[in-house]
Amino acid sequence: MKNYKLLTPGPLTTTDSVKREMLFDHCTWDDDYKVITQRIRKQLLKLAHVNEEEYTTVLMQGSGTFGVESVISSVIGKEDKCLFVTNGAYGERMLDIAKYHKINYVVLSEEYNIVPYVNKVEEILKDDKDITHVMMVHCETTTGILNDIEAVGKISKKYSKTFMVDAMSSFGGIDISLKDYGIDFLISSSNKCIQGVPGFSFIIANKEKLIESKGKARSLSLDLYDQWIGMDKDGKWRFTSPTHVILAFSKALDELEAEGGVVARNKRYSNNNKILRNKMKKLGINSYLEEDIQSPIITTFLYENNDFSFIEMYNFVKENGYAIYPGKLTKVDTFRIGNIGEIYEEDINNLCDIFEKFVLIKETI
Ligand SMILES: *Cc1c(COP(=O)(O)O)cnc(C)c1O
């Protein structure tokens, strides 16, 4: 099989050194392994700019959605009510989760190309005194739009609400100060901007709020509090942990630091994103979002050609060494290109050359 690089929002292209870490079958109850778990938990707190007295990290088996479901089903109690702020498929997935667990909620839903306005959130919080929690997505990977978690977090704190963020596709690629933003629970996963391989999610939690959630969980395996209690003692996971994935993730965290941390990684992603959007525009392929709300994580491109076939485009690009992503909008023909992962300016230039060829072929038919 011909190899290709991933320009998708995760799993993404990882370094060979990260992949090589997985060539070792580690014992789970061994002290060396528990130390790795504990070290990862500490490193994540550091990335989030919070200290061990106030915050803690819980690692959770499964993909990112398992982490989101763990938080929603463990933290929002029977008497509580959550305001979900949505403008894409991942926000809507939170509602699906809430329905499964019969959680009391209200929604502020915006169009996919609109950043939810903080004043609207405030109006709802003023009117509905029953609301106890606010939850939203940071980078909506559906489109690549970047939501203002800082503003919504501060408003949530002003009204003393618990604020929860799905920062799956942004944490590690965009600097987030949890405490400054008023975030009580933040969820991300191993295979996004930290550039590890898929297999677990992690939750950075305000300890006081986590302790308050004791006994509220609606599921055994996703019980966030229980997972924390088990892990916090000595780094032992409650159930089988994804050992190979953990080793790779630990390496990926060290490589993030070596790159210069989140700031340096953000710079690389942002620079690549800018080059990509500019070059595509020259080819007549415009991005779906306005520049000021576009994240450096993933870009949705419009393909306003009558005979658009994503599969045809995908196969052509793949033949030339890159895998792109389908669009997720229903009303317009789009496709997406991810920026995250071990991708450099050279890749973006290569990719745009490939697109130039593709556009030329389409025009001459
Ligand atoms: C990737 C992602 C998720 C989780 O998806 P999984 O397929 O479960 O890993 C959740 N929210 C956002 C915003 C994402 O980008």
Side-chain angles (χ1 to χ4, degrees):
M1 196 175 67
K2 194 167 172 243
N3 207 346
Y4 51 77
K5 286 190 183 178
L6 296 172
L7 298 173
T8 61
L12 36 70
T13 300
T14 56
T15 60
D16 289 341
S17 38
V18 161
K19 284 188 274 279
R20 265 199 303 274
E21 289 293 303
M22 294 185 286
L23 294 172
F24 181 48
D25 304 310
H26 217 303
C27 170
T28 52
W29 62 263
D30 186 282
D31 278 342
D32 293 345
Y33 183 70
K34 294 186 207 161
V35 166
I36 298 170
T37 296
Q38 297 301 56
R39 185 163 168 265
I40 286 174
R41 294 178 61 218
K42 276 200 177 111
Q43 282 172 302
L44 289 172
L45 287 184
K46 208 172 143 205
L47 286 184
H49 306 286
V50 286
N51 64 50
E52 278 179 75
E53 282 67 52
E54 291 174 286
Y55 284 80
T56 189
T57 314
V58 187
L59 310 181
M60 183 66 75
Q61 293 94 333
S63 80
T65 305
F66 290 64
V68 175
E69 182 152 10
S70 169
V71 168
I72 293 176
S73 64
S74 301
V75 170
I76 309 170
K78 282 197 178 72
E79 315 296 323
D80 297 332
K81 183 175 185 178
C82 187
L83 165 63
F84 292 104
V85 182
T86 71
N87 59 342
Y90 291 101
E92 284 154 19
R93 187 175 294 173
M94 291 174 177
L95 307 180
D96 289 341
I97 293 171
K99 278 178 206 145
Y100 265 92
H101 297 286
K102 302 192 168 55
I103 283 163
N104 196 9
Y105 70 87
V106 282
V107 190
L108 168 59
S109 147
E110 283 292 0
E111 294 292 329
Y112 283 16
N113 58 348
I114 304 281
V115 171
Y117 194 37
V118 65
N119 289 17
K120 283 196 189 174
V121 176
E122 182 161 22
E123 285 308 312
I124 296 172
L125 295 183
K126 256 191 213 160
D127 284 352
D128 190 343
K129 299 276 188 288
D130 292 342
I131 294 171
T132 49
H133 296 66
V134 177
M135 188 168 193
M136 72 189 296
V137 176
H138 185 208
C139 170
E140 244 304 350
T141 320
T142 315
T143 56
I145 198 169
L146 197 61
N147 290 327
D148 193 353
I149 49 170
E150 185 173 1
V152 176
K154 284 179 177 163
I155 281 297
S156 300
K157 283 293 96 119
K158 184 177 161 192
Y159 291 86
S160 308
K161 312 301 176 194
T162 300
F163 185 48
M164 317 196 285
V165 174
D166 168 352
M168 207 70 66
S169 60
S170 57
F171 189 78
I174 298 175
D175 206 29
I176 304 172
S177 272
L178 260 72
K179 199 183 172 194
D180 296 345
Y181 291 12
I183 301 171
D184 297 305
F185 294 89
L186 177 141
I187 309 131
S188 187
S189 72
S190 56
N191 61 282
K192 303 245 170 155
C193 295
I194 311 280
Q195 299 188 178
V197 302
F200 72 94
S201 58
F202 56 87
I203 294 104
I204 304 177
N206 176 309
K207 262 192 201 171
E208 211 179 293
K209 299 274 181 180
L210 183 58
I211 292 167
E212 270 174 33
S213 77
K214 184 181 178 183
K216 291 185 181 171
R218 294 162 177 81
S219 133
L220 172 81
S221 53
L222 296 176
D223 186 331
L224 186 65
Y225 178 85
D226 249 28
Q227 182 89 346
W228 174 55
I229 291 298
M231 187 170 280
D232 205 48
K233 221 181 332 168
D234 62 353
K236 178 93 170 65
W237 295 55
R238 273 189 308 167
F239 310 123
T240 301
S241 69
T243 47
H244 303 80
V245 181
I246 282 290
L247 297 178
F249 189 75
S250 176
K251 181 76 176 167
L253 275 171
D254 292 345
E255 290 185 359
L256 171 59
E257 195 174 325
E259 185 175 346
V262 177
V263 172
R265 184 155 291 181
N266 181 272
K267 218 168 169 180
R268 172 162 64 87
Y269 289 172
S270 300
N271 185 45
N272 287 345
N273 185 260
K274 204 172 281 169
I275 297 170
L276 174 68
R277 278 186 293 117
N278 287 341
K279 285 200 159 189
M280 292 293 263
K281 197 172 177 181
K282 283 192 187 132
L283 296 174
I285 303 173
N286 292 310
S287 32
Y288 167 71
L289 295 172
E290 298 292 333
E291 195 175 338
D292 60 333
I293 52 172
Q294 168 69 52
S295 71
I297 306 296
I298 187 166
T299 309
T300 298
F301 288 102
L302 298 164
Y303 201 76
E304 292 151 312
N305 192 321
N306 286 336
D307 55 352
F308 175 76
S309 155
F310 175 75
I311 282 299
E312 190 187 343
M313 176 190 276
Y314 176 81
N315 285 334
F316 185 84
V317 177
K318 183 181 154 193
E319 248 340 274
N320 287 283
Y322 295 92
I324 60 170
Y325 218 53
K328 221 175 176 162
L329 303 179
T330 48
K331 290 174 196 154
V332 271
D333 282 333
T334 56
F335 62 94
R336 289 178 290 172
I337 294 178
N339 272 115
I340 57 182
E342 200 60 10
I343 297 295
Y344 292 88
E345 205 173 311
E346 186 194 342
D347 295 299
I348 301 297
N349 289 331
N350 285 343
L351 178 77
C352 292
D353 289 345
I354 296 164
F355 268 99
E356 189 172 0
K357 274 187 217 144
F358 182 75
V359 169
L360 261 170
I361 293 167
K362 294 301 285 180
E363 277 171 359
T364 47
I365 290 171

